Amino acid sequence: MNVAPRMGRLGTESAFEVLARARALERQGREIVHLEIGEPDFDTPAHIKDAAKRALDAGATHYGPSAGLPELREAIAKHVGETRGVPVSPEQVVVTPGAKPIMFFTIMALAGEGDEVIYPNPGFPIYESVINFVGARPVPIPLREESGFGFDLPLFERAVSDRTRLIIINSPENPTGGVLDRGQIERIADVARRRKIPVLADEIYRQFLYEGEFVSILSQPGMHEQTILLDGFSKTYAMTGWRLGYGVMPLALAGHVTRLMVNSASCTASFVQLAGVAALHGDQAPVARMVAEFKRRRDLIVAGLTTLPGVRCPRPRGAFYAFPNITGTGRPSAEVAERLLDEAGVAVLGGTAFGEHGEGYLRLSYANSEANLRKALERMRPVFEGLAAGR
Ligand SMILES: Cc1ncc(COP(=O)(O)O)c(C=O)c1O
């Protein structure tokens, strides 16, 4: 089959590939601890599932408007308005099957041949993949451990050019767990405003914040007209398999993104959207309980990783990933990740799965039970001891 040349520019998300390899090992009888995939191990709260069942019984099984059901767009506008402290209208909201399409659609709508897009590295691999796919030039901004994995601001300011069509930020960040502080957000907003460059703010991990404050660039003066906010239900309400996310964007862009929905998914499943209304209107205690539990697990895994030879682990402030520095082993991160899967039965991702600046790190999702985290730490020790002994 002759595929179009653009397919050669489309990347992937290695978490799904490592998951497939781990599952293949399981079929051969191996027992694997899964720390590769980024999804809460909690079940979707019961009141959300009940709302979906009621919606199915009430006949919410047909096509709906491409930008989303009015009741969900209203609930999202209210929620984002309250949590980011700015007025948001339902017309600014586009609902999508998962939050990922908002990335794809925004980059498709704003960047093309010869344009440049700025994005974090290490960062969610789909940013770079889609930037390449649309023929634009990816301009990575390194996130460095020394600065808490925040944006390297002087480098960022130098990287902005007349061709920059979009700046992508992600806070709390996947894979580092870093959180952009107020000063960094203010400086990024300042540059974006002066140069009139839109910002795609990926805030999917907003609620997974363990210390410090969360600052949304949408709240910055003037940024209402320039921000595309990406958020959703996958992580916050443990709804990864439901596929429900959204973008909040200036009206001028919402029409184009809606047309991309018409041309692709048509609309998001109607009963799933009604479950989303229940999630936003209902009891938020399950979210708080899950985040409190993840904080305990973060402390456990960071403390455990720190005791392994050749490993140093900064304490992530948000999301649910540990990003240990393994440069002490002297080995490339992809090789260490592979050995951990083959020899210890622990599936993790090498930092380079998130870009070249992820070399020297591993990503471990701690959205897993305490028992499994302890088991993973125990099994990883002999591999790191072997590496330290030059084996
Ligand atoms: C940074 C980031 N943004 C967006 C997403 C996509 O979320 P969804 O499952 O809602 O498409 C993920 C999922 O892993 C993510 O890590």
Side-chain angles (χ1 to χ4, degrees):
M1 177 92 63
N2 278 331
V3 298
R6 73 173 81 86
M7 289 310 293
R9 303 196 300 265
L10 193 63
T12 189
E13 196 181 340
S14 335
F16 288 101
E17 285 174 4
V18 175
L19 178 66
R21 273 197 60 214
R23 293 256 187 265
L25 288 174
E26 282 172 331
R27 280 194 296 278
Q28 292 165 20
R30 291 279 303 278
E31 196 239 357
I32 307 291
V33 183
H34 290 276
L35 305 185
E36 76 279 44
I37 200 94
E39 66 173 345
D41 58 323
F42 282 68
D43 197 6
T44 306
H47 67 277
I48 300 175
K49 291 201 278 190
D50 289 342
K53 290 175 201 165
R54 279 197 307 275
L56 278 169
D57 288 339
T61 53
H62 298 274
Y63 288 133
S66 291
L69 293 175
E71 48 270 61
L72 180 59
R73 292 172 83 196
E74 262 163 43
I76 291 168
K78 184 165 172 288
H79 168 77
V80 172
E82 283 168 6
T83 51
R84 276 64 163 199
V86 285
V88 171
S89 77
E91 291 72 33
Q92 288 178 262
V93 178
V94 181
V95 178
T96 45
K100 235 178 186 176
I102 292 296
M103 264 168 227
F104 196 86
F105 295 163
T106 301
I107 298 168
M108 281 283 268
L110 295 178
E113 287 294 333
D115 294 335
E116 293 175 359
V117 179
I118 287 178
Y119 66 105
N121 182 325
F124 193 55
I126 301 305
Y127 306 142
E128 187 179 285
S129 163
V130 181
I131 297 166
N132 279 321
F133 187 62
V134 301
R137 191 169 84 83
V139 181
I141 302 298
L143 305 186
R144 300 195 201 285
E145 186 183 338
E146 309 82 81
S147 55
F149 293 112
F151 250 36
D152 182 328
L153 289 167
L155 210 150
F156 163 66
E157 283 168 2
R158 284 199 300 279
V160 175
S161 82
D162 291 342
R163 300 189 151 195
T164 311
R165 292 289 170 268
L166 179 67
I167 297 164
I168 302 176
I169 58 174
N170 174 213
S171 176
E173 217 243 356
N174 177 9
T176 63
V179 178
L180 294 172
D181 64 27
R182 184 171 292 278
Q184 288 169 331
I185 291 281
E186 282 173 0
R187 268 178 74 181
I188 296 167
D190 190 44
V191 171
R193 254 186 327 252
R194 266 192 290 119
R195 313 277 302 238
K196 296 195 173 24
I197 303 168
V199 175
L200 171 62
D202 185 339
E203 299 186 354
I204 197 106
Y205 296 103
R206 182 184 69 89
Q207 307 251 44
F208 298 88
L209 182 75
Y210 309 112
E211 51 225 32
E213 62 169 346
F214 171 78
V215 185
S216 175
I217 203 160
L218 182 62
S219 323
Q220 293 293 306
M223 287 308 289
H224 193 251
E225 287 77 47
Q226 267 177 252
T227 303
I228 300 98
L229 179 141
L230 174 156
D231 203 342
F233 297 76
S234 301
K235 318 282 175 176
T236 309
Y237 298 103
M239 292 175 73
T240 48
W242 294 67
R243 310 313 297 135
L244 186 61
Y246 57 86
V248 175
M249 61 202 78
L251 285 179
L253 184 61
H256 295 292
V257 171
T258 303
R259 221 147 27 91
L260 284 161
M261 268 297 283
V262 177
N263 277 272
S264 53
S266 289
C267 63
T268 306
S270 301
F271 62 95
V272 168
Q273 293 190 60
L274 292 172
V277 174
L280 290 178
H281 286 167
D283 185 11
Q284 302 299 306
V287 182
R289 272 200 297 277
M290 181 168 70
V291 173
E293 175 60 23
F294 282 5
K295 185 176 184 196
R296 276 189 342 101
R297 295 178 187 177
R298 174 198 65 164
D299 294 342
L300 183 144
I301 195 150
V302 169
L305 286 167
T306 307
T307 66
L308 300 176
V311 180
R312 176 176 83 221
C313 190
R315 181 184 299 269
R317 289 202 289 143
F320 39 71
Y321 307 107
F323 202 59
N325 181 320
I326 55 149
T327 49
T329 64
R331 316 297 305 185
S333 55
E335 180 191 318
V336 176
E338 234 176 272
R339 285 189 59 172
L340 287 171
L341 180 58
D342 293 341
E343 295 171 28
V346 179
V348 306
L349 299 181
T352 43
F354 302 89
E356 65 196 283
H357 297 287
E359 183 52 273
Y361 296 87
L362 296 177
R363 191 197 77 168
L364 290 76
S365 164
Y366 53 83
N368 205 319
S369 70
E370 187 176 324
N372 275 340
L373 294 180
R374 288 189 192 282
K375 190 192 287 179
L377 286 165
E378 222 166 84
R379 289 197 197 164
M380 285 162 70
R381 179 170 296 282
V383 176
F384 281 99
E385 283 170 353
L387 288 165
R391 292 196 297 273

